Amino acid sequence: MKRVHLLGSTGSIGQTSERVLGELSTTHRVVGLASGRGGASFLAQVARMAPEAIAIADDDGAEAAARALRDQPIRVYGGANAAAQLVEAVPAEVVLNGITGARGLAASFAAVRRGADLALANKESMVMAGPLLARAAATTGSRILPVDSEHSAIFQCLHREPLRSVRRIVLTASGGPFRTTPAAELDHVTPAQALRHPTWTMGAKITIDSATLLNKALEVVEARWLFALPADQIAAVVHPQSIVHSMVEFCDGSILAQLGVPDMAVPIRFALAYPERSVTRDSYFDLARFKVLTFEEPDLARFPGLGLGFRAARAGGTAGAVLNAANEVAVAAFLDGALPFQRIATTVAAVLDAVPHVDEPTLEQVLAADAAARAEATACCC
Amino acid sequence: MKRVHLLGSTGSIGQTSERVLGELSTTHRVVGLASGRGGASFLAQVARMAPEAIAIADDDGAEAAARALRDQPIRVYGGANAAAQLVEAVPAEVVLNGITGARGLAASFAAVRRGADLALANKESMVMAGPLLARAAATTGSRILPVDSEHSAIFQCLHREPLRSVRRIVLTASGGPFRTTPAAELDHVTPAQALRHPTWTMGAKITIDSATLLNKALEVVEARWLFALPADQIAAVVHPQSIVHSMVEFCDGSILAQLGVPDMAVPIRFALAYPERSVTRDSYFDLARFKVLTFEEPDLARFPGLGLGFRAARAGGTAGAVLNAANEVAVAAFLDGALPFQRIATTVAAVLDAVPHVDEPTLEQVLAADAAARAEATACCC
């Protein structure tokens, strides 16, 4: 049995992962669960999956869980670093990191340092500290298996082909809910409108990112480190149906693409079962959904957020951490009604200009850049 | 330098291969050329590629070539078996078999028996004698590398994945020039109309096969043996743009597809350079051509030829040889104006009914079935 930690278990990725792990019950066993707040839905997961240990970032939530579980042989870790502590303390072969945002970074490092495979849905880990995380993984032999649909697609298309054969990778973007919205109207977009994603069901933060195309910007930086490809070998194309999840163009004129219904269960299943492919009954080729697939150039004028991704990927160093931190603050401000939609990207751009760049940062310097970007973004947004 | 035999060098595949081999001049050298008739265009190729030996099936053509080349150190093989003799006599690492029709079978066997890699554009080799050819290749370690765009696509998508992970393969079909032609009008289709293929530039025989979907039928049988998959794990879908060249659905819900401009240079380049990928400047992802990709169910009522492929793939044994031979005769009769378009498939079906089936044939029995099918089809057509 593969021992699995599921981090961020009550979120959108966590819930889908629980469903996939249900399919994999003869080969995989959940030994650790981590949540930000805990609460009733998390305790229900604990009851269903019966892990050996749990982690809750929120101190009150951790205390409440410890009380509720006091008669059971389940260790409880509490506090901001609880998920990383859980990973350090409890052996596992796979750590699925579905924590949202920069808070997921420590657990990613804990996983690769232990030599566990890291099924990575927390793209911020790669965006902020890709080279450091990749180096740590190389030291222990840990494999980083992307759970983003786009990066899982590229990982599958690259399957055992050498990087020298790759001309470029092409990330697909749905274009989000405002793909065809005129520029003038984008100024007046509400959080409720931005949360209505046309093809994917995801968490709030990533859904807003999908509307600004900053999600794709983060994915460009993620791809840059995950696949060790320079920014000029990464492209993005809008594909509204979200059926082609990304492509790899090889130097010989061949293109491989990974396709499927837009269901995060597919990349989750792939990462958990890797290098095997596990059998599922759902999520197959459905001609009705594949009837018409279209592709178009992204509009960088209406969606300047995407361009910031290429800028950060080219800059390297702390630029990814700054991009991500500024965006987290700006999206939170937008969701609070404190920042207009189009100001998300301009805020991120201003913060990228303002925070001093470090070219080959240590983890401490990455975290300092993250903090500086948050402070700068908060100043910009308020 | 990889030594290459190019068989069928003046045909459509042969000409494109010459262009690709021009790109590969630092890694590949043509040591043998084979042609059906010889003639001026073949002798021009001989002058350009300077092979060590040549083969011409037509006796008069071979004699004329021998005279023309008498002052040069180029061996000339003549007669129906000349291409196979060339392959047997002159060592090479790769044999690209671009001969059209059943006549290409002997050279395929010669190549795999020598242990050369067989870059196979002559699908008839696999359709007629797939299990025998695969067994011969396994004995010597020869690799069979498909040059059909569909099978090259599947080969690339399957890349080092185990067969147990495959749910099914999905061959794409352009649908040919009569994709939207009403059934009643198909009775009156002329050879000139059938030769106007919407997306691919190919030889006459295969262009007619593309119009009847018997091309796809042959490819179903080819795939059945090439990838050792039963008929019920093979599907076909119509994709008029010919950009997605085929797909593999894995058991975990993922689909990999190979895409590219419809240019035979891509699969030829892949097979010649395998396991490397060689660098080309042309044939890349061109967003303008990828704007809209559509998929639809094939219409087996209007195109019964496709169903015959699944029938032959299920039957196995000599059914592929019979399917192919009957179709060769019927297509020739259609091109001669002697058989209506819709009678091609009915002729093939009648011949499949009439010729006795052998389940695990020897090569002699395959050739006997081929001859019996030709006789039966000729009787049907005249």
Side-chain angles (χ1 to χ4, degrees):
Chain A
M1 295 288 270
K2 258 193 199 176
R3 294 167 56 90
V4 181
H5 289 310
L6 178 53
L7 315 182
S9 64
T10 54
S12 172
I13 290 286
Q15 290 179 44
T16 307
S17 297
E18 185 184 353
R19 171 159 70 83
V20 171
L21 285 159
E23 292 176 9
L24 299 175
S25 61
T26 59
T27 52
H28 292 62
R29 191 158 75 83
V30 175
V31 295
L33 288 174
S35 158
R37 290 162 196 262
S41 65
F42 180 65
L43 288 175
Q45 285 187 318
V46 172
R48 285 196 297 273
M49 291 188 261
E52 298 172 7
I54 61 171
I56 299 174
D58 181 73
D59 287 320
D60 295 343
E63 266 180 47
R67 272 197 306 278
L69 299 169
R70 65 175 168 265
D71 296 334
Q72 296 182 41
I74 298 179
R75 262 178 292 168
V76 179
Y77 296 89
N81 211 34
Q85 287 178 311
L86 166 73
V87 171
E88 279 157 20
V90 181
E93 277 86 44
V94 189
V95 176
L96 196 151
N97 188 348
I99 297 171
T100 301
R103 297 173 298 124
L105 184 63
S108 288
F109 272 98
V112 300
R113 282 180 184 146
R114 274 209 73 125
D117 283 348
L118 175 61
L120 189 61
N122 177 264
K123 67 184 77 181
E124 293 81 1
S125 297
M126 267 290 154
V127 172
M128 294 174 68
L132 295 168
L133 195 62
R135 214 174 303 146
T139 307
T140 60
S142 157
R143 292 180 293 200
I144 302 177
L145 304 166
V147 172
D148 255 352
S149 64
E150 293 82 356
H151 300 77
S152 178
I154 290 165
F155 187 92
Q156 293 180 55
C157 293
L158 282 176
H159 193 234
R160 290 172 199 146
E161 301 241 17
L163 269 193
R164 65 173 179 277
S165 294
V166 175
R167 180 171 177 254
R168 58 176 189 162
I169 58 179
V170 181
L171 296 164
T172 52
S174 71
F178 308 129
R179 183 174 60 88
T180 58
T181 306
E185 288 176 34
L186 287 178
D187 288 333
H188 312 295
V189 150
T190 65
Q193 290 173 309
L195 286 170
R196 260 179 244 129
H197 195 276
T199 51
W200 286 97
T201 309
M202 305 179 291
K205 159 71 168 52
I206 193 172
T207 302
I208 301 302
D209 289 345
S210 196
T212 57
L213 294 203
L214 264 147
N215 191 33
K216 214 50 51 183
L218 295 169
E219 289 172 9
V220 168
V221 182
E222 182 184 5
R224 193 256 170 276
W225 302 124
L226 201 46
F227 304 114
L229 282 171
D232 63 5
Q233 283 183 267
I234 303 171
V237 64
V238 172
H239 168 53
Q241 297 81 23
S242 300
I243 294 294
V244 175
H245 297 308
S246 279
M247 303 184 240
V248 175
E249 270 189 55
F250 292 96
C251 60
D252 65 354
S254 250
I255 296 163
L256 292 185
Q258 189 261 351
L259 294 77
V261 291
D263 178 351
M264 286 307 295
V266 178
I268 289 169
R269 190 182 288 122
F270 180 83
L272 288 174
Y274 187 82
E276 292 297 312
R277 285 184 184 270
S278 70
V279 178
T280 183
R281 278 157 190 261
D282 53 33
S283 308
Y284 281 124
F285 177 90
D286 173 0
L287 195 57
R289 298 189 72 162
F290 284 61
K291 249 186 167 39
V292 181
L293 306 180
T294 64
F295 299 89
E296 56 195 63
E297 287 287 358
D299 182 346
L300 289 170
R302 280 188 306 135
F303 299 102
L306 177 55
L308 299 175
F310 288 101
R311 175 179 163 186
R314 267 191 299 271
T318 47
V322 171
L323 176 81
N324 176 65
N327 183 53
E328 284 191 20
V329 172
V331 169
F334 169 71
L335 286 170
D336 285 348
L339 193 75
F341 182 76
Q342 287 294 62
R343 283 278 306 283
I344 297 174
T346 53
T347 298
V348 174
V351 174
L352 272 171
D353 288 338
V355 174
H357 182 76
V358 181
D359 208 37
E360 296 204 15
T362 62
L363 188 54
E364 290 64 37
Q365 288 172 309
V366 166
L367 297 173
D370 173 271
R374 279 171 207 277
E376 185 69 32
T378 305
C380 287
C381 291
C382 306
Chain B
M1 294 290 270
K2 259 194 201 176
R3 292 166 58 91
V4 181
H5 289 310
L6 177 54
L7 314 182
S9 63
T10 54
S12 174
I13 290 287
Q15 289 179 42
T16 306
S17 298
E18 185 184 352
R19 172 160 69 84
V20 171
L21 285 160
E23 291 176 9
L24 299 175
S25 60
T26 59
T27 52
H28 292 63
R29 192 158 75 85
V30 176
V31 296
L33 288 174
S35 158
R37 289 163 198 261
S41 65
F42 181 65
L43 288 175
Q45 285 187 318
V46 173
R48 285 195 298 273
M49 291 187 263
E52 297 172 8
I54 61 172
I56 299 174
D58 181 73
D59 288 319
D60 295 342
E63 266 179 49
R67 273 196 306 277
L69 298 169
R70 65 177 167 265
D71 298 334
Q72 296 181 42
I74 299 178
R75 263 178 292 170
V76 179
Y77 296 89
N81 210 33
Q85 287 178 310
L86 167 74
V87 171
E88 279 157 18
V90 181
E93 277 86 44
V94 189
V95 176
L96 196 151
N97 188 348
I99 298 171
T100 301
R103 297 173 298 125
L105 185 62
S108 288
F109 273 99
V112 301
R113 283 179 183 147
R114 273 210 73 126
D117 284 347
L118 175 61
L120 189 61
N122 177 264
K123 67 184 76 182
E124 293 81 0
S125 296
M126 267 291 152
V127 171
M128 295 174 68
L132 296 168
L133 195 63
R135 213 174 304 147
T139 308
T140 61
S142 157
R143 294 179 292 201
I144 302 177
L145 304 167
V147 171
D148 254 352
S149 63
E150 294 81 357
H151 301 76
S152 178
I154 290 164
F155 187 93
Q156 293 181 56
C157 293
L158 282 175
H159 194 233
R160 291 172 197 146
E161 302 241 16
L163 269 193
R164 66 173 178 278
S165 295
V166 175
R167 182 172 177 252
R168 58 175 188 161
I169 60 179
V170 182
L171 296 164
T172 52
S174 70
F178 308 127
R179 183 172 61 88
T180 59
T181 306
E185 288 176 33
L186 287 178
D187 288 333
H188 313 295
V189 151
T190 65
Q193 290 173 310
L195 285 170
R196 261 181 243 127
H197 195 276
T199 51
W200 286 98
T201 308
M202 303 179 292
K205 159 70 169 54
I206 192 172
T207 302
I208 301 303
D209 289 345
S210 195
T212 57
L213 294 202
L214 264 148
N215 190 33
K216 215 49 51 181
L218 295 169
E219 290 172 10
V220 168
V221 183
E222 182 184 6
R224 192 256 170 278
W225 303 124
L226 201 46
F227 304 115
L229 283 171
D232 64 5
Q233 283 183 268
I234 303 172
V237 64
V238 172
H239 168 52
Q241 298 81 24
S242 300
I243 295 294
V244 175
H245 298 307
S246 279
M247 302 183 242
V248 175
E249 268 188 58
F250 292 95
C251 59
D252 64 354
S254 249
I255 297 164
L256 291 186
Q258 189 261 350
L259 295 78
V261 290
D263 178 350
M264 287 306 295
V266 178
I268 289 169
R269 190 181 289 123
F270 179 84
L272 288 174
Y274 186 82
E276 292 297 312
R277 286 186 184 267
S278 71
V279 178
T280 183
R281 278 160 190 260
D282 52 34
S283 308
Y284 282 122
F285 178 89
D286 174 359
L287 195 57
R289 298 188 72 161
F290 285 61
K291 248 185 169 39
V292 181
L293 306 179
T294 65
F295 299 88
E296 55 195 65
E297 287 287 359
D299 182 346
L300 290 169
R302 280 188 306 136
F303 299 102
L306 177 56
L308 299 175
F310 289 100
R311 175 179 163 187
R314 267 192 298 271
T318 47
V322 171
L323 176 80
N324 176 65
N327 183 53
E328 284 192 20
V329 172
V331 169
F334 169 70
L335 285 171
D336 285 348
L339 193 75
F341 182 76
Q342 287 294 63
R343 284 278 306 284
I344 297 174
T346 53
T347 299
V348 174
V351 174
L352 272 171
D353 288 338
V355 174
H357 182 77
V358 181
D359 209 36
E360 296 204 16
T362 61
L363 188 54
E364 291 64 37
Q365 287 172 309
V366 166
L367 296 173
D370 173 272
R374 278 170 208 277
E376 185 69 32
T378 305
C380 287
C381 292
C382 307

